[in-house]
Amino acid sequence: MKITRTEVEHVSRLARLALSTEELDSLTGEMDAILGYVEQLATLDTEGIVPTAHAVPMENAFRPDEAKDGFTPEQALSNAPDAAESAFRVRRVIE
Amino acid sequence: MTVYDLTLAELRAKLDKREISAVEVTKTYLDRIAATNPALNTFITICNETALAEAQAADQAIAAGKAQALTGLPIAAKDIFNTAGLRTTCASRILDNYVSPYDATAIARIKEQKAVIVGKLNMDEFAMGSSNENSAFGPARNPWNQDLVPGGSSGGSAASVAARQAVASLGTDTGGSIRQPAAHCSVVGLKPTYGRVSRYGVIAYASSLDQVGPVTRDVRDCALMLQAIAGYDPADSTSVNTPVADYQSNLTGDLKGLKIGLPKEYFVEGLDDDVRKAVELAADKYRELGAEIIEVSLPHTSYAVACYYLIATAEASSNLARYDGVRYGLRAENTENLVDMYMQTRAAGFGSEVKRRIMLGTYALSSGYYDAYYLKAQKVRTLIRQDFLNAFESVDALLTPVAPTPAFALGEKVNDPLQMYLSDIYTIPVNLAGTCAMSLPCGFSTDERPIGLQLIGKPFDEATLLRTAHAYEQATDWHKKQANI
């Protein structure tokens, strides 16, 4: 086994993703199969190979630090599930 | 010949000669969409009112002598592009009620030319899939045979052009999501070089791989669409400030001295016989046209799918963290606390393939596994990219199949994620290498399913890629065949 059900449960908490019992069962099998498949990468010698994070060689992209118009508060809040004044409202975080 | 059978370039000429108005063209297309969408389910949103207003504005521009290449032409966009004032769902329940407050740059550019946006197209949820079956709004169907998938993730983008519901469309391609559906629907699809087209305002899946591109009826239309959307955008720091060629003027038909490579690793077991024959016949056609065909090697090809599914899922797990029920989209009710709200919102909002990829990516990035999975995949990516750069030392383009088989049946692969992933084996390496490639029609299987030819070009050399594709298209009739719908 590449991955256990307990590990899948742990990853679901890291991903902030609630999973049903059935989902946990099926994902454990599916992730195990996929991780078994990707195992083939381990057979390649990559000693000294520089990792590619980005396919086009680029340096940092800079631009002048100038103020520009952005969204109005109304636009920014236009899709909010819950808003109050000019803020997104969520449940109390500190009890 | 009806209005919707004309190519973009043909319609342009008719509009400019005032033989037809943009409003008439748009009405014809909206009627066509209304008549065919119930069967094909290619559109998530149809823009009846806004499209007619845009067409009126286009007619005014044409009357004022200010027509540009796309003025008055009915174009549809994958529902991954932010479009100001229009619902943008990414085919997900989590964005079911999301209305974009702004336009993606690619949308803004076609709007600047006064193109008419006729609707937002179906896709696999968050662009994760190869069949369009992972849509929260139900699968789109293949116009050539409605029992078949149109391919994915830009299934609606390819099927709508094949069904003549739009003259052209915009899609995105992370591992083949423009090219594979284009092949399955017998239309032309281009994935430009990473950095060629701005991704600003395109809902992110895997940021180091995602690229915007057009789907069209033929190669000339593809050149016109790319011309409109290509180029540096200060709002996308990964777009590259490099000159954009005049693509249409490059369509000379001249292939003298052109060297085309056939990667031997692409013609192996698992490749369907009909696909192999069609692609080999295309290579013969290129010889006739004066190109030199050379066998080349891309030795790390077999590692590409594994490499992709670690890098893409890792990036996706990070990108999709933003869907938490706070600022937009779905929010779960009756939750215990803030973290529970996040967890229940995501549980209710994401479909099973999206959950699977978030989980895989989170695992690949998690403490203790990062080096073995994500970092290892990035190193293998270097080897795959180097394969292409080495091949391009001796050839100008590569010729391959787009997909190992023609379009498969709806439901055929839904229960086997790994088999679904392997259907992208010939397209994924191009995204990992970051270069450009396109799909164009090259035949049909014995049971009448479309087959696509993939041409892969050097980084930022879309001009040669389009010229190579155009010469083949001029010498064949595949692009003229139409789905009977």
Side-chain angles (χ1 to χ4, degrees):
Chain A
M1 289 287 281
K2 294 277 161 216
I3 191 164
T4 64
R5 198 173 188 281
T6 313
E7 286 175 299
V8 174
E9 266 188 289
H10 171 65
V11 173
S12 82
R13 283 190 294 275
L14 294 178
R16 297 283 188 262
L17 182 62
L19 295 174
S20 67
T21 310
E22 296 77 40
E23 284 176 319
L24 272 174
D25 288 340
S26 58
L27 268 171
T28 303
E30 287 160 4
M31 287 176 71
D32 192 59
I34 296 165
L35 291 170
Y37 177 77
V38 303
E39 189 72 1
Q40 59 178 291
L41 297 187
T43 64
L44 269 179
D45 181 7
T46 51
E47 187 69 34
I49 302 290
V50 179
T52 296
H54 194 85
V56 178
M58 280 180 99
E59 297 296 318
N60 282 335
F62 292 109
R63 61 170 171 76
D65 184 18
E66 291 161 351
K68 281 188 222 148
D69 287 339
F71 288 152
T72 62
E74 292 72 28
Q75 283 174 317
L77 292 168
S78 62
N79 283 284
D82 192 6
E85 295 168 22
S86 59
F88 298 99
R89 185 155 63 186
V90 294
R91 299 179 68 109
R92 180 187 296 270
V93 179
I94 300 164
E95 299 294 340
Chain B
M1 188 71 107
T2 47
V3 166
Y4 52 74
D5 289 325
L6 300 169
T7 66
L8 190 156
E10 288 165 349
L11 259 184
R12 168 84 277 126
K14 285 200 177 295
L15 285 165
D16 289 347
K17 286 188 219 147
R18 315 289 287 275
E19 289 173 18
I20 193 165
S21 72
V23 168
E24 287 168 315
V25 171
T26 300
K27 280 184 174 162
T28 305
Y29 269 96
L30 290 173
D31 288 347
R32 172 90 179 150
I33 294 167
T36 51
N37 200 53
L40 297 175
N41 196 31
T42 37
F43 284 80
I44 292 174
T45 300
I46 301 168
C47 303
N48 287 307
E49 288 89 33
T50 51
L52 283 171
E54 287 167 4
Q56 281 164 2
D59 278 331
Q60 285 167 11
I62 294 166
K66 290 180 180 162
Q68 299 177 66
L70 304 183
T71 306
L73 293 165
I75 291 168
K78 186 177 184 178
D79 209 18
I80 198 168
F81 290 91
N82 275 284
T83 39
L86 292 178
R87 185 180 176 221
T88 299
T89 68
C90 226
S92 182
R93 280 188 300 275
I94 213 161
L95 288 175
D96 193 18
N97 60 1
Y98 176 73
V99 176
S100 309
Y102 72 111
D103 278 326
T105 297
I107 297 291
R109 288 196 174 166
I110 67 168
K111 276 190 180 174
E112 273 162 28
Q113 295 205 4
K114 293 202 160 28
V116 175
I117 311 274
V118 289
K120 303 292 294 291
L121 296 163
N122 206 347
M123 54 184 284
D124 285 297
E125 182 181 4
F126 285 104
M128 298 179 188
S130 309
S131 68
N132 212 129
E133 290 168 294
N134 299 333
S135 167
F137 302 95
R141 287 169 184 272
N142 192 316
W144 291 87
N145 176 343
Q146 292 171 32
D147 296 329
L148 302 178
V149 301
S153 69
S154 310
S157 303
S160 64
V161 172
R164 304 180 298 290
Q165 298 171 316
V167 72
S169 68
L170 289 175
T172 59
D173 189 316
T174 304
S177 281
I178 288 173
R179 291 161 285 156
Q180 184 254 24
H184 288 346
C185 294
S186 200
V187 290
V188 173
L190 170 66
K191 185 207 94 73
T193 310
Y194 185 84
R196 175 56 91 194
V197 180
S198 169
R199 296 181 298 112
Y200 178 71
V202 179
I203 295 173
Y205 159 25
S207 302
S208 79
L209 303 163
D210 296 342
Q211 181 60 195
V212 172
V215 178
T216 57
R217 311 272 176 85
D218 66 16
V219 176
R220 181 172 302 277
D221 287 2
C222 187
L224 291 165
M225 285 288 285
L226 180 63
Q227 201 77 54
I229 58 174
Y232 175 65
D233 174 16
D236 174 3
S237 64
T238 65
S239 75
V240 176
N241 201 350
T242 187
V244 177
D246 180 342
Y247 297 117
Q248 199 181 193
S249 71
N250 267 285
L251 305 179
T252 57
D254 182 11
L255 296 185
K256 259 198 292 300
L258 192 86
K259 290 181 180 160
I260 299 178
L262 295 181
K264 63 180 183 193
E265 292 83 2
Y266 283 51
F267 297 86
V268 292
E269 202 182 333
L271 177 59
D272 176 271
D273 280 343
D274 289 344
V275 175
R276 177 193 299 270
K277 276 179 210 147
V279 173
E280 285 173 355
L281 284 172
D284 290 343
K285 182 60 77 179
Y286 272 111
R287 278 192 199 93
E288 274 175 43
L289 292 168
E292 187 183 344
I293 305 286
I294 301 163
E295 186 181 274
V296 296
S297 175
L298 301 169
H300 297 95
T301 298
S302 66
Y303 299 98
V305 174
C307 179
Y308 173 85
Y309 276 95
L310 289 170
I311 290 174
T313 57
E315 293 180 7
S317 73
S318 170
N319 273 325
L320 272 62
R322 74 190 72 187
Y323 304 102
D324 57 7
V326 173
R327 289 159 302 161
Y328 39 70
L330 183 74
R331 177 184 291 189
E333 304 289 335
N334 305 319
T335 51
E336 289 168 20
N337 53 45
L338 187 65
V339 171
D340 189 44
M341 188 275 278
Y342 298 154
M343 294 189 71
Q344 299 300 337
T345 295
R346 292 159 66 76
F350 291 138
S352 58
E353 181 61 26
V354 174
K355 289 179 183 174
R356 194 178 290 130
R357 295 197 196 189
I358 288 173
M359 289 289 291
L360 193 65
T362 304
Y363 179 71
L365 291 176
S366 66
S367 175
Y369 298 101
Y370 180 89
D371 285 5
Y373 289 115
Y374 188 61
L375 189 65
K376 181 76 184 184
Q378 285 190 314
K379 290 179 177 176
V380 175
R381 182 176 183 179
T382 304
L383 297 174
I384 291 168
R385 176 173 157 73
Q386 201 56 51
D387 282 353
F388 281 90
L389 298 180
N390 291 344
F392 285 132
E393 301 249 313
S394 52
V395 296
D396 303 294
L398 300 167
L399 188 161
T400 80
V402 177
T405 66
F408 43 91
L410 279 151
E412 189 178 326
K413 297 188 184 183
V414 280
N415 295 319
D416 192 344
L418 204 48
Q419 276 311 307
M420 189 75 93
Y421 297 173
L422 288 169
S423 65
D424 296 332
I425 192 162
Y426 299 133
T427 48
I428 277 174
V430 175
N431 299 78
L432 292 169
T435 193
C436 56
M438 60 193 294
S439 171
L440 60 160
C442 76
F444 291 83
S445 64
T446 48
D447 56 357
E448 301 291 309
R449 292 179 288 163
I451 297 173
L453 172 70
Q454 179 172 235
L455 292 169
I456 305 170
K458 293 179 181 175
F460 296 104
D461 193 7
E462 285 82 2
T464 301
L465 184 67
L466 286 160
R467 173 164 62 92
T468 308
H470 178 254
Y472 174 82
E473 190 181 75
Q474 292 303 295
T476 57
D477 282 332
W478 303 118
H479 64 292
K480 291 182 181 156
K481 304 222 182 297
Q482 292 190 332
N484 183 18
I485 180 141

